[in-house]
Amino acid sequence: MLSFIARRLGVMLLTMICLTFVVFYLVNLEPNLKKLALTQTNSRATQEQIDSWLQRYGYRDPFLLRYAEWMGLWPKQPAVDAQGKAIPRFSYCGDTVTPRLSGVLQGDFGCSTKFRTTVGKKLFPALEATGILMFWVMMVMIPGALIIGVLAGMREGSKTDRTLSVVAIGSTATPEYVSGVIFTVIFATWLGWFNGSAASATSRGITFVNFTLPVMTLAIYGMGYIARMTRASMVEVMTAQYIRTARLKGLRFRAVVLKHALRNALIAPFTVIMLQFPWLLTGVVVVEIMFRYQGFGYTLVEAAGNNDIDLLLGCSLVSVFIVLITQLISDVGYAFLNPRIRVQ
Amino acid sequence: MQLDFLSPTQVVIHILFYRLWPVWVAMAVLMGLSFRYRKRLGLYGQLYDSGVGISGIALLSFWFFAAVFSSYVSPFDPLDQIAVMRNALPGAIEPQSGLPFLLGGDKLARDVFSRVIDGSRIVLLIAPLATLVALTVGITLGLPAGYFGKKTDSTLSFLANLVLAFPVILLFYLLVSPEIVETGLPRQTAGVFFAFPVILACMAFGTRYAGRPLLLAIQLLVVLAVTYWLYSTFVFFDDPFGQIQVTASTLNIFVAVVFASSPGVFRIVRGLVMDIKTRDYVAAAQTRGENPWYIMVWEVLPNARGPLIVDACLRIGYTTILLGTLGFFGLGMPPESPDWGTTIKDGSQLLRAYVHPALPPAIALMSFVLGLNLLADALREESMKD
């Protein structure tokens, strides 16, 4: 088991290196650098001014060298001013004039040129805000999906099953930007129960009124999928021999479902729930933009829109890490939960 | 200026009978004939045995015919701005032509109804095509990965997992932007992607008809002609027939969507092949000494078609959702584009004041994806029966 986890962690590390390399390449494409230079100097800068700015701030250094600087394998060099004197690259991030080893490996994610602060100071509060949102989404989505799935799957082909299956199919057909619009129209514009914006959740704290719609919107899309997986798993378990035995020895249906079927039926959904995280990440971005909640998704959009290189790299690192770690947890967890699976 | 309004009942009658009648007629003919002859229509006919299947087909054929007849159905040009109609409520009558804005006007005074109908053309063109290309990419790479295993499999799987580890939204922000179009990257990627259908076709014909050179030569010529058309139209933007105009930003979207969904197809094909290659008929073909590529394309692939068809249905729906996401973030599509994602984005900014510009495209997108999901569900049920 341990060697399995070690091997998976190795592959994960390799994947992260490859991916950051790809992202690094894409954000450093010539037109992207030009866009960054334009926002950093002024929007009417000439081609020479742009070139000189990029040259002086080290964006013209060899690609691999800059990747190594970002990773923390090579000392970061200061920028130089027009006279060739060393100046700190971005003073608002506390950069120094002396070259020093300061990259991801040392815990320094670089400097956000859009928010004029270090990436760490911007990214971690945003992640915390998104974490809160995710927590509530999970609290709504998982129990809801499991209940729907189990109710539908325990009597295959019944009226409840068919109704709930159609509901589940409907929810998988409703992406966040559709359900967000529909919920806002019904609950905010017409009924006026909830806020159509979660902007006040960032400034004045989370309340039932401003947080319900984002959570509902985000939960609905994933719920149908998990419910369908739970149903399939439940249907399979209910046809197993030991369930028939339990029924034949005279146990009541409710006891059979709760005591015998449920435990085995919930193994498969566990994997599915874990693999939902990458999907939720996209949903988070949609919901945070739609409901103006300042979390990870909002940060990502701002970083991408302004070609904020270090912040975008930081965001990619975080999201790729989340995707890979949830995959790992789902594999390891599955092996733990299901005694029939043995990994070599 | 005071606008005249139709009553809600009149609006419904206008939409259902005056505007959508060609769609209803076409649907009635298609579904009526299919239902009548469902016993002879194979898998498609069996779909008419279940309510889920019928409702799926109804939703899909509705949008298909709406896209086909969009120039008759939509009363106004989707880009026309008629200043008096800004944010007009549903049923307002446009003074000049006397025609009503059935679902009202949006913030730029365009007819919401016409935009939703015209938007269906964009979605119904790009989503299935992108899925088709993604399918060929996934199949061409998934077959050898599943069949040969070992190094081939681990290399290709690693690459696929690399793409899958990217959250879709990040991928889109990195791959779809005017800056990326400037570098020419989408064209190069499109050039690579369009090679896969060609490779698959060559492999299929080459392995099967190697003993009949004349037939093979004709088939390869046809493939060559199609390749020429494909590349000149989509990669070099110069359709020899002058029929299809592709812009660089549309190609950018297309490439990004194919890129995001082909690893998923790859994984499914790989899994199916690994299962099927243990069957007796594959062993028989191997004993006959068949070329491994012949076995993959002509023995394994046809037997994997059931799950692949179901997956393709779901995947078109997923691609539609991805397209909507792109539109919602204003990536790639031109800002005035009538596609559903862009329209939802525009409408959702004003939800507090006006709900009518955002709701119709949202419901349109949902119903189309719902149709695909229902169809996939019905297909799965049918394939389970055998």
Side-chain angles (χ1 to χ4, degrees):
Chain A
M1 190 69 186
L2 273 177
S3 76
F4 168 75
I5 296 178
R7 207 170 55 231
R8 285 298 301 267
L9 281 173
V11 175
M12 197 175 135
L13 208 66
L14 189 66
T15 312
M16 279 181 91
I17 292 172
C18 289
L19 284 180
T20 48
F21 203 78
V22 172
V23 178
F24 202 80
Y25 173 75
L26 286 172
V27 291
N28 280 303
L29 283 172
E30 189 54 31
N32 283 333
L33 284 181
K34 203 187 267 177
K35 190 167 142 198
L36 175 75
L38 276 175
T39 52
Q40 286 302 303
T41 50
N42 63 60
S43 45
R44 278 195 296 280
T46 61
Q47 186 61 44
E48 287 91 69
Q49 282 170 313
I50 289 174
D51 277 337
S52 117
W53 188 86
L54 287 174
Q55 179 75 43
R56 288 190 291 108
Y57 277 76
Y59 288 105
R60 287 279 186 255
D61 291 350
F63 180 74
L64 280 176
L65 185 78
R66 297 189 40 228
Y67 183 69
E69 281 179 20
W70 177 76
M71 276 297 267
L73 299 169
W74 194 262
K76 259 187 194 162
Q77 303 295 325
V80 289
D81 66 2
Q83 278 76 44
K85 206 162 79 67
I87 51 166
R89 290 187 76 208
F90 300 108
S91 52
Y92 43 81
C93 290
D95 285 351
T96 55
V97 290
T98 48
R100 65 189 165 114
L101 212 56
S102 169
V104 174
L105 293 176
Q106 284 82 25
D108 176 9
F109 288 90
C111 184
S112 159
T113 46
K114 156 78 180 158
F115 294 101
R116 303 180 78 80
T117 174
T118 59
V119 169
K121 271 191 197 140
K122 180 70 202 168
L123 198 53
F124 292 118
L127 275 176
E128 196 193 324
T130 299
I132 298 170
L133 178 64
M134 284 289 225
F135 171 76
W136 287 110
V137 169
M138 289 291 163
M139 293 301 283
V140 174
M141 185 170 83
I142 296 174
L146 293 184
I147 289 170
I148 293 178
V150 168
L151 283 180
M154 66 187 190
R155 283 202 183 89
E156 192 191 4
S158 66
K159 202 154 237 169
T160 335
D161 178 24
R162 265 178 280 153
T163 322
L164 287 177
S165 292
V166 170
V167 170
I169 294 177
S171 101
T172 51
T174 321
E176 291 86 1
Y177 48 87
V178 169
S179 50
V181 165
I182 294 174
F183 286 154
T184 312
V185 167
I186 297 176
F187 295 109
T189 312
W190 288 346
L191 296 174
W193 290 352
F194 305 119
N195 267 0
S197 146
S200 59
T202 312
S203 54
R204 266 174 286 147
I206 293 158
T207 60
F208 187 65
V209 172
N210 65 24
F211 221 52
T212 308
L213 283 183
V215 169
M216 257 168 71
T217 305
L218 205 45
I220 278 288
Y221 184 46
M223 201 190 265
Y225 189 62
I226 301 178
R228 285 177 66 73
M229 290 297 152
T230 317
R231 176 191 171 270
S233 167
M234 189 72 190
V235 165
E236 204 189 317
V237 168
M238 290 304 281
T239 56
Q241 293 290 329
Y242 66 89
I243 296 295
R244 207 175 60 176
T245 313
R247 287 290 279 157
L248 288 178
K249 78 180 182 194
L251 271 186
R252 290 182 37 199
F253 187 70
R254 177 210 290 268
V256 172
V257 168
L258 290 179
K259 289 220 179 83
H260 294 75
L262 208 54
R263 273 184 52 185
N264 286 316
L266 290 187
I267 297 174
F270 169 78
T271 333
V272 180
I273 291 169
M274 276 298 151
L275 294 178
Q276 278 288 303
F277 273 91
W279 294 56
L280 275 177
L281 227 49
T282 304
V284 158
V285 181
V286 175
V287 164
E288 286 184 5
I289 294 302
M290 191 166 221
F291 293 100
R292 298 182 192 83
Y293 182 67
Q294 299 204 359
F296 177 74
Y298 168 83
T299 314
L300 193 149
V301 169
E302 285 293 311
N306 295 288
N307 200 43
D308 189 338
I309 294 181
D310 283 353
L311 188 56
L312 196 53
L313 280 166
C315 287
S316 328
L317 208 58
V318 168
S319 43
V320 169
F321 180 74
I322 292 173
V323 173
L324 293 176
I325 205 81
T326 45
Q327 278 175 5
L328 183 68
I329 294 175
S330 100
D331 285 0
V332 174
Y334 189 71
F336 261 115
L337 288 176
N338 192 345
R340 280 171 298 187
I341 300 284
R342 284 282 169 266
V343 290
Q344 315 85 19
Chain B
M1 201 175 112
Q2 201 63 39
L3 292 170
D4 290 326
F5 283 92
L6 295 178
S7 73
T9 346
Q10 281 174 310
V11 169
V12 173
I13 291 173
H14 257 88
I15 293 179
L16 289 186
F17 299 110
Y18 293 0
R19 283 291 146 209
L20 287 175
W21 69 265
V23 178
W24 301 133
V25 172
M27 272 174 75
V29 171
L30 173 80
M31 294 185 71
L33 285 178
S34 307
F35 190 76
R36 177 80 179 71
Y37 297 107
R38 65 183 185 283
K39 292 278 181 278
R40 293 189 222 157
L41 287 170
L43 184 62
Y44 169 71
Q46 285 168 19
L47 289 174
Y48 285 86
D49 291 338
S50 71
V52 174
I54 292 181
S55 32
I57 291 175
L59 283 171
L60 289 183
S61 57
F62 173 82
W63 283 115
F64 176 74
F65 290 120
V68 170
F69 297 121
S70 63
S71 48
Y72 303 100
V73 174
S74 60
F76 295 91
D77 184 283
L79 304 181
D80 259 358
Q81 306 186 3
I82 302 164
V84 265
M85 306 302 285
R86 170 160 304 145
N87 291 327
L89 291 177
I93 293 169
E94 200 264 313
Q96 241 158 26
S97 60
L99 288 170
F101 268 35
L102 290 166
L103 296 175
D106 63 6
K107 64 174 176 181
L108 290 175
R110 298 165 299 195
D111 180 28
V112 174
F113 179 73
S114 303
R115 282 175 73 75
V116 170
I117 295 292
D118 272 64
S120 69
R121 298 184 67 148
I122 299 176
V123 176
L124 265 75
L125 200 67
I126 299 184
L129 272 181
T131 312
L132 195 69
V133 176
L135 264 179
T136 56
V137 175
I139 288 174
T140 316
L141 295 176
L143 285 175
Y147 189 78
F148 293 125
K150 297 195 188 110
K151 280 269 155 57
T152 325
D153 182 26
S154 41
T155 317
L156 288 172
S157 292
F158 180 74
L159 287 178
N161 288 339
L162 218 57
V163 181
L164 285 174
F166 260 119
V168 181
I169 193 71
L170 185 67
L171 204 66
F172 282 166
Y173 263 106
L174 290 172
L175 290 183
V176 184
S177 69
E179 283 82 21
I180 293 281
V181 172
E182 237 177 88
T183 61
L185 209 60
R187 276 185 174 203
Q188 294 154 12
T189 329
V192 175
F193 282 149
F194 285 132
F196 284 99
V198 178
I199 294 172
L200 194 64
C202 289
M203 237 157 60
F205 295 138
T207 50
R208 178 142 204 178
Y209 300 107
R212 300 164 70 182
L214 186 68
L215 185 64
L216 182 63
I218 297 172
Q219 283 165 338
L220 289 183
L221 269 178
V222 173
V223 172
L224 198 71
V226 174
T227 316
Y228 170 71
W229 175 78
L230 213 64
Y231 272 82
S232 53
T233 311
F234 293 100
V235 183
F236 302 107
F237 308 138
D238 180 31
D239 182 13
F241 305 109
Q243 293 293 311
I244 300 174
Q245 295 284 320
V246 186
T247 60
S249 65
T250 316
L251 187 73
N252 196 185
I253 295 170
F254 191 83
V255 167
V257 171
V258 173
F259 193 74
S261 54
S262 31
V265 183
F266 166 83
R267 292 234 310 213
I268 288 174
V269 174
R270 174 180 167 269
L272 286 170
V273 174
M274 284 168 97
D275 175 29
I276 291 174
K277 78 171 176 189
T278 57
R279 305 282 168 85
D280 286 344
Y281 51 81
V282 176
Q286 283 165 339
T287 324
R288 287 207 300 275
E290 297 283 6
N291 182 329
W293 293 97
Y294 173 84
I295 300 177
M296 280 182 238
V297 180
W298 292 105
E299 301 278 351
V300 177
L301 190 58
N303 288 297
R305 68 180 185 282
L308 275 182
I309 293 173
V310 173
D311 179 66
C313 270
L314 289 174
R315 206 161 281 281
I316 296 176
Y318 181 55
T319 312
T320 310
I321 291 177
L322 288 185
L323 279 178
T325 315
L326 279 170
F328 184 78
F329 286 107
L331 294 169
M333 303 277 186
E336 74 278 8
S337 155
D339 76 284
W340 295 336
T342 312
T343 327
I344 293 173
K345 175 195 70 176
D346 289 342
S348 68
Q349 289 155 355
L350 302 165
L351 276 186
R352 276 237 149 268
Y354 302 101
V355 299
H356 63 267
L359 269 187
I363 291 167
L365 194 140
M366 197 173 91
S367 64
F368 179 59
V369 180
L370 183 67
L372 284 162
N373 285 5
L374 289 174
L375 190 69
D377 203 58
L379 281 169
R380 190 185 294 128
E381 292 284 307
E382 286 305 323
S383 62
M384 294 263 220
K385 274 185 195 161
D386 308 334

